[in-house]
């Protein structure tokens, strides 16, 4: 494999704005109608933006348009075929490609199609004959020597050799390795300040090690609303993405499934993201289930189903959790642990609130743009944390609201917070409790209210009471005979 040993960090130099993912250099008379056409088709299926020169070439000079395309391409694939060296256009193109490799850190991948890399390196067989003819034709020995040096250099790069494989297998390997670089699908919108994330990611890796990597692993990440389950799932997804060819992150499943064709759209997205074919049609839920089972059963996938609840039938996306190939990793995030139990998800991780030090860090990053509070605000920051606790969204909202304010504003604001929490936190609580059944809502609210009063955490108490009033309006029809949790520990 051409990218063996490549790491995410080693690819960081690729992070720039490219016009094209791939530039294809090839000898038209050798491969335009066969290998190159099939390779281009496979790249297109994976949505890899590829530049190919469809024009019939005339004259000796390479066009400005082609030079610009080479400069603006992230990777150049050089298809070295039998008659490649007989074209001065191809040789000049190759010189420009290797120049951009040095000046722009572009990746160059030679594909040895029906030729031996050693013959290219030492200009033997068809390559030697072609260069001998060019030497006679141009009477310019220095230019021919530069072409020779260029062929020697490209033949020394890690690339792809057809060997005894079939052409489809050969193309599949090329596209798979190209995809790892140009379309890694890393999720960039993770937490701006990932405080406490590293230790939680490490904990989850330890849990996953309990099951062999050749088995299908299904992990449930659960916890109360807005406690950063999604951000944690994104971090896990990013740490594993380079180990999987087939990846998909289905975000906001609960919310997206509510529309009339929500589940069908989710099935469509899952299929297209993994297969790379957006021409697929999913007409109904049952057809979607059949397509997923039929088309993905042998594929080793990395899949995240984000924010599930009991309203989403897991089998519509996963079947019996046996629709994917061995070695697959499936991650489910939910507020409802029972959903994991009912779907036989045995690997679980409960996301807890941030501890005191982590809460201080996250609040400080938002309120002071530093990991520690300013000297004059140390004591008042302790007061904030005393009743805000370790809920990431609350820390972020309050910290952002207090950023760049003077000490008087802080004191005034904190008095207001004790009476009425900021509207973003109230919205968060409404979202957190939506979807829970009445018995659990009433029981949980009473339990939390009693607990936070014991700890004198006034803001949490007020938040719980307000949330109770919001949710209660939805459940007035519930019988008063519903038993509630005892307040005793």
């Amino acid at each position: 494999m051409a990218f063996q040993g490549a790491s995410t960090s080693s690819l960081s130099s690729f992070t720039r704005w490219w016009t094209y993912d791939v530039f294809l250099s090839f000898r038209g008379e050798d491969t335009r109608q066969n290998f190159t056409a099939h390779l281009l088709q496979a790249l297109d299926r994976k949505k890899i933006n590829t530049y190919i020169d469809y024009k019939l070439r005339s004259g000796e000079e390479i066009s400005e348009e082609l030079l610009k395309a080479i400069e603006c391409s992230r990777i150049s694939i050089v298809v070295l075929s039998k008659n490649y060296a007989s074209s001065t256009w191809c040789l000049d193109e190759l010189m420009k490609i290797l120049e951009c490799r040095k000046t722009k850190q572009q990746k160059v991948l030679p594909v040895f199609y029906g030729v031996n890399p050693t013959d290219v390196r030492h200009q033997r067989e068809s390559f030697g004959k072609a260069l001998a003819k060019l030497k006679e034709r141009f009477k310019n020995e220095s230019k021919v020597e530069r072409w020779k040096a260029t062929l020697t250099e490209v033949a020394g790069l890690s690339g792809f050799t057809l060997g005894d494989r079939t052409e489809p297998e050969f193309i599949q390997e090329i596209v798979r390795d190209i995809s790892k670089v140009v379309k890694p699908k890393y999720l960039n919108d993770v937490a701006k300040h990932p405080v406490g994330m590293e230790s939680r990611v490490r904990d989850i890796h330890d849990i996953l090690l309990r099951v062999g990597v050749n088995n299908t692993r299904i992990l449930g990440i659960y916890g109360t609303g807005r406690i950063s389950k999604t951000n944690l799932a994104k971090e896990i997804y990013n740490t594993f993405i380079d180990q999987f060819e087939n990846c998909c992150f289905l975000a906001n499943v609960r919310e997206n499934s509510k529309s009339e064709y929500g589940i069908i759209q989710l099935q469509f997205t899952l299929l297209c993201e993994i297969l790379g074919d957006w021409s697929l049609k999913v007409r109904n839920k049952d057809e979607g289930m059949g397509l997923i089972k039929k088309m993905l059963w042998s594929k080793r996938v990395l899949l995240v189903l984000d924010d599930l609840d009991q309203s989403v039938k897991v089998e519509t996306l996963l079947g019996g959790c046996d629709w994917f190939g061995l070695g697959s990793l499936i991650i489910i995030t939910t507020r409802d642990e029972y959903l994991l139990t009912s779907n036989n998800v045995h690997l679980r991780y409960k996301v807890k609130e941030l501890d005191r030090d982590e809460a201080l860090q996250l609040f400080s990053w938002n309120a002071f743009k530093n990991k520690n509070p300013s000297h004059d605000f140390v004591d008042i920051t302790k007061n904030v944390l005393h009743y805000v606790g370790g809920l990431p969204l609350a820390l972020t909202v309050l910290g952002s609201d207090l950023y760049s304010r003077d000490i008087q504003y802080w004191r005034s604001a904190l008095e207001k917070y004790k009476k009425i929490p900021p509207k973003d936190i109230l919205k968060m609580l409404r979202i957190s409790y939506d979807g829970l059944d009445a018995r659990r809502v009433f029981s949980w609210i009473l339990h939390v209210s009693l607990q936070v009063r014991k700890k004198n955490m006034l803001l949490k108490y007020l938040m719980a009471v307000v949330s109770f009033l919001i949710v209660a309006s939805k459940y007035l029809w519930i019988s008063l005979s519903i038993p509630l949790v005892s307040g005793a520990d």
Side-chain angles (χ1 to χ4, degrees):
M1 287 178 28
F3 298 138
Q4 187 173 5
S7 65
T8 303
S9 59
S10 67
L11 299 176
S12 60
S13 60
F14 273 33
T15 305
R16 61 173 73 204
W17 293 105
W18 304 101
T19 304
Y20 306 103
D21 294 321
V22 170
F23 177 90
L24 272 178
S25 175
F26 62 98
R27 184 72 167 106
E29 68 180 52
D30 285 352
T31 66
R32 182 187 293 275
Q33 302 300 326
N34 43 67
F35 175 78
T36 297
H38 299 152
L39 176 59
L40 177 63
Q41 188 178 44
L43 291 167
D44 284 345
R45 278 199 300 270
K46 287 292 185 179
K47 303 299 180 185
I48 295 173
N49 186 18
T50 304
Y51 182 93
I52 183 170
D53 182 18
Y54 288 105
K55 299 174 183 176
L56 293 175
R57 299 171 179 183
S58 60
E60 301 293 345
E61 296 295 324
I62 188 170
S63 70
E64 285 297 321
E65 177 188 350
L66 216 57
L67 291 173
K68 186 68 174 176
I70 293 170
E71 290 176 355
C72 295
S73 296
R74 193 180 212 182
I75 296 173
S76 285
I77 298 178
V78 182
V79 182
L80 295 160
S81 56
K82 183 177 179 180
N83 295 302
Y84 188 90
S86 65
S87 166
T88 59
W89 191 300
C90 285
L91 292 171
D92 285 341
E93 199 173 83
L94 182 57
M95 288 177 64
K96 178 65 176 180
I97 287 169
L98 293 178
E99 175 191 316
C100 289
R101 178 175 179 262
K102 295 183 178 73
T103 60
K104 298 179 179 293
Q105 293 76 50
Q106 293 179 6
K107 192 79 176 176
V108 178
L109 297 173
V111 174
F112 301 96
Y113 183 75
V115 299
N116 192 314
T118 304
D119 293 339
V120 179
R121 184 180 297 110
H122 299 294
Q123 293 87 58
R124 297 197 298 237
E125 299 294 336
S126 62
F127 285 82
K129 293 175 184 176
L131 287 167
K133 289 181 180 179
L134 290 174
K135 187 174 181 181
E136 291 178 6
R137 174 182 165 189
F138 284 97
K139 307 298 181 183
N140 185 341
E141 192 166 329
S142 64
K143 187 163 189 177
V144 174
E145 290 301 316
R146 290 200 300 274
W147 284 335
K148 285 184 177 180
T150 299
L151 288 168
T152 299
E153 182 180 349
V154 75
L157 300 176
S158 177
F160 305 90
T161 305
L162 178 59
D164 297 329
R165 289 172 296 176
T166 65
E167 190 171 294
E169 290 174 333
F170 188 40
I171 288 175
Q172 186 178 25
E173 181 192 353
I174 296 169
V175 174
R176 181 173 61 244
D177 280 17
I178 293 290
S179 296
K180 289 179 181 178
V181 176
V182 301
K183 293 184 77 66
K185 298 184 182 178
Y186 289 109
L187 302 173
N188 296 316
D189 55 337
V190 293
K192 184 177 181 181
H193 304 296
V195 176
M197 198 65 73
E198 185 177 344
S199 64
R200 288 159 175 78
V201 169
R202 193 162 51 244
D203 289 343
I204 287 179
H205 275 264
D206 290 342
I207 292 172
L208 292 173
L209 287 174
R210 299 174 190 170
V211 180
V213 295
N214 292 324
N215 297 314
T216 298
R217 294 174 290 176
I218 305 177
L219 171 74
I221 298 176
Y222 69 100
T224 58
R226 295 306 187 263
I227 202 167
S228 293
K229 297 184 298 295
T230 297
N231 281 332
L232 180 55
K234 288 178 179 179
E235 291 284 357
I236 296 296
Y237 182 88
N238 283 344
T239 63
F240 279 100
I241 194 169
D242 60 353
Q243 300 177 31
F244 289 84
E245 179 185 351
N246 307 295
C247 306
C248 179
F249 190 106
L250 285 180
N252 304 315
V253 173
R254 175 176 58 88
E255 192 65 30
N256 291 331
S257 67
K258 290 180 179 179
S259 65
E260 184 178 359
Y261 300 105
I263 289 294
I264 297 172
Q265 183 60 45
L266 288 166
Q267 293 173 328
F268 172 77
T269 302
L270 171 58
L271 284 162
C272 295
E273 285 282 351
I274 291 179
L275 297 173
D277 183 1
W278 292 87
S279 65
L280 287 169
K281 302 292 183 184
V282 180
R283 288 169 293 189
N284 56 64
K285 183 171 62 177
D286 291 335
E287 182 180 54
M289 293 171 66
L291 287 171
I292 293 170
K293 184 176 182 179
K294 178 182 178 181
M295 304 181 81
L296 305 184
W297 71 271
S298 63
K299 293 189 178 296
R300 181 174 174 271
V301 305
L302 170 61
L303 171 63
V304 175
L305 302 180
D306 173 51
D307 192 19
L308 268 67
D309 67 3
Q310 295 290 349
S311 69
V312 181
K313 301 299 183 185
V314 175
E315 59 266 24
T316 59
L317 299 170
L318 298 182
C321 299
D322 57 358
W323 284 358
F324 305 100
L326 293 177
S328 293
L329 173 57
I330 299 166
I331 298 170
I332 295 172
T333 73
T334 181
R335 295 194 292 272
D336 186 0
E337 186 181 7
Y338 180 71
L339 180 141
L340 303 177
T341 301
S342 60
N343 286 282
N344 296 315
V345 178
H346 303 299
L347 297 177
R348 303 180 194 178
Y349 181 79
K350 182 176 182 179
V351 184
K352 299 177 181 177
E353 291 189 2
L354 301 177
D355 64 31
R356 184 177 300 177
D357 291 337
E358 291 169 340
L360 174 61
Q361 264 195 61
L362 180 57
F363 178 79
S364 296
W365 277 119
N366 286 281
F368 306 103
K369 307 307 176 189
N370 198 300
K371 67 182 296 185
N372 295 307
S374 301
H375 178 72
D376 295 338
F377 290 79
V378 171
D379 290 336
I380 199 167
T381 296
K382 290 179 181 178
N383 291 335
V384 174
L385 298 181
H386 178 68
Y387 59 79
V388 172
L391 197 63
L393 182 60
L395 292 161
T396 300
V397 170
L398 295 184
S400 300
D401 184 49
L402 295 170
Y403 171 62
S404 77
R405 307 287 192 176
D406 60 35
I407 195 74
Q408 294 303 322
Y409 181 92
W410 275 57
R411 289 171 180 154
S412 173
L414 291 182
E415 289 303 315
K416 292 178 183 177
Y417 295 160
K418 292 175 183 178
K419 299 173 183 176
I420 305 175
K423 62 181 180 180
D424 287 345
I425 295 179
L426 292 179
K427 180 182 178 182
M428 169 204 68
L429 286 168
R430 174 61 188 265
I431 293 171
S432 295
Y433 303 141
D434 269 355
L436 296 178
D437 63 77
R439 182 190 301 268
R440 295 173 64 207
V441 170
F442 279 80
S443 300
W444 189 88
I445 293 295
L446 180 61
H447 177 72
V448 169
S449 299
L450 291 169
Q451 293 305 308
V452 297
R453 279 204 297 182
K454 290 178 183 178
K455 297 179 181 179
N456 196 29
M457 299 172 72
L458 182 56
L459 179 57
K460 279 191 172 182
Y461 176 67
L462 288 171
M463 289 161 63
V465 171
V466 172
S467 301
F468 177 88
L469 295 174
I470 292 172
V471 180
S473 62
K474 295 173 61 178
Y475 299 106
L476 290 176
W477 53 270
I478 297 293
S479 169
L480 293 177
S481 63
I482 294 177
L484 297 178
V485 174
S486 170
D489 275 339

